[in-house]
Amino acid sequence: MESLFMALAEKTRLRLLNLMRSDQEVCVGSFVKILGVSQPKISRHLAYLRNAGVVRASRGGKWVRYSIARFDPKEARDVFETLFDWLDSDQAMRHEREKYIELIELPESFIFAETHTNERDIERSEPAHNELEEFLL
């Protein structure tokens, strides 16, 4: 239980867990878009959560996707139920979750428009990236 509570004792990690509450796996790019936090910081916090056994990672192609680990002890499940109730009562957390739900309804190519292989791809996808930024605001 100590490692669980230590993992929950940081706001960025709570924000990550807030977005992982759905049954879908989430990749780092989605976290970066919604939370406005750098990729290295997101990855560092996800590694902390993974090492504490709170989240699990699965590789799908070139993306690593994260989800909340399933806990067997009833006490751990109770902690997460209480945590999610608290997150639902926090306006900022609710707003980030709503933005995430809207984002996952977009095609994946739109979400990751900044991943390019050449200059021609950058020119073609810049409007989509700008539209995404406006969509998230």
Side-chain angles (χ1 to χ4, degrees):
M1 287 303 261
E2 180 183 353
S3 63
L4 171 62
F5 283 105
M6 287 178 67
L8 299 177
E10 205 284 328
K11 186 169 183 168
T12 300
R13 292 192 288 268
L14 290 174
R15 293 172 74 197
L16 292 169
L17 291 170
N18 184 45
L19 299 182
M20 284 189 272
R21 290 194 289 162
S22 67
D23 290 333
Q24 294 184 333
E25 296 177 318
V26 186
C27 63
V28 174
S30 295
F31 292 129
V32 170
K33 292 275 185 210
I34 298 298
L35 302 179
V37 176
S38 70
Q39 182 273 325
K41 184 175 181 179
I42 295 286
S43 294
R44 188 171 57 250
H45 284 293
L46 286 169
Y48 191 100
L49 290 168
R50 195 175 57 238
N51 290 335
V54 176
V55 301
R56 60 190 165 116
S58 63
R59 185 170 293 280
K62 61 183 176 178
W63 306 108
V64 177
R65 299 185 181 274
Y66 295 87
S67 60
I68 296 175
R70 301 293 174 223
F71 288 96
D72 288 330
K74 180 186 179 313
E75 294 80 11
R77 285 193 309 270
D78 291 346
V79 167
F80 275 93
E81 282 182 30
T82 302
L83 171 66
F84 296 149
D85 287 344
W86 176 80
L87 291 172
D88 284 337
S89 71
D90 183 271
Q91 184 178 4
M93 292 288 191
R94 234 182 12 256
H95 179 68
E96 285 179 352
R97 183 144 171 77
E98 290 166 1
K99 283 176 31 178
Y100 169 71
I101 290 169
E102 291 172 358
L103 180 68
I104 62 173
E105 293 173 355
L106 296 173
E108 191 166 294
S109 60
F110 190 75
I111 296 169
F112 299 104
E114 73 277 6
T115 306
H116 309 288
T117 55
N118 61 46
E119 286 297 316
R120 194 172 63 226
D121 288 341
I122 292 172
E123 290 173 11
R124 226 185 356 238
S125 65
E126 273 183 357
H129 181 72
N130 290 337
E131 290 172 21
L132 178 59
E133 287 177 347
E134 290 175 19
F135 176 77
L136 294 175
L137 294 176

